[in-house]
């Protein structure tokens, strides 16, 4: 799912984990920005 307010950032749920990543089309690259358990992702 594309994140609002970000140009190329997306998030996906994989099991109990949330992964936030960025897609760089010109370089044909995917960069993982953050990976955390769902219980920890939304804590500040």
């Amino acid at each position: 799912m594309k994140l609002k307010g970000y140009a190329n950032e997306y998030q996906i749920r994989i099991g109990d984990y949330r992964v936030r990543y960025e897609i760089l089309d010109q370089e044909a690259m995917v960069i993982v920005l953050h990976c955390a358990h769902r219980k920890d992702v939304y804590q500040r």
Side-chain angles (χ1 to χ4, degrees):
M1 170 183 359
K2 186 160 178 44
L3 293 176
K4 292 181 181 180
Y6 296 94
N8 296 320
E9 288 190 22
Y10 299 83
Q11 76 175 6
I12 189 170
R13 187 174 116 197
I14 302 173
D16 289 336
Y17 290 84
R18 291 272 185 204
V19 178
R20 199 173 99 221
Y21 60 97
E22 182 175 1
I23 298 175
L24 302 176
D25 289 325
Q26 293 179 348
E27 291 86 8
M29 190 181 322
V30 174
I31 300 173
V32 175
L33 302 171
H34 188 80
C35 181
H37 194 276
R38 289 175 56 206
K39 69 177 181 153
D40 299 327
V41 167
Y42 300 107
Q43 293 179 355
R44 293 202 177 247

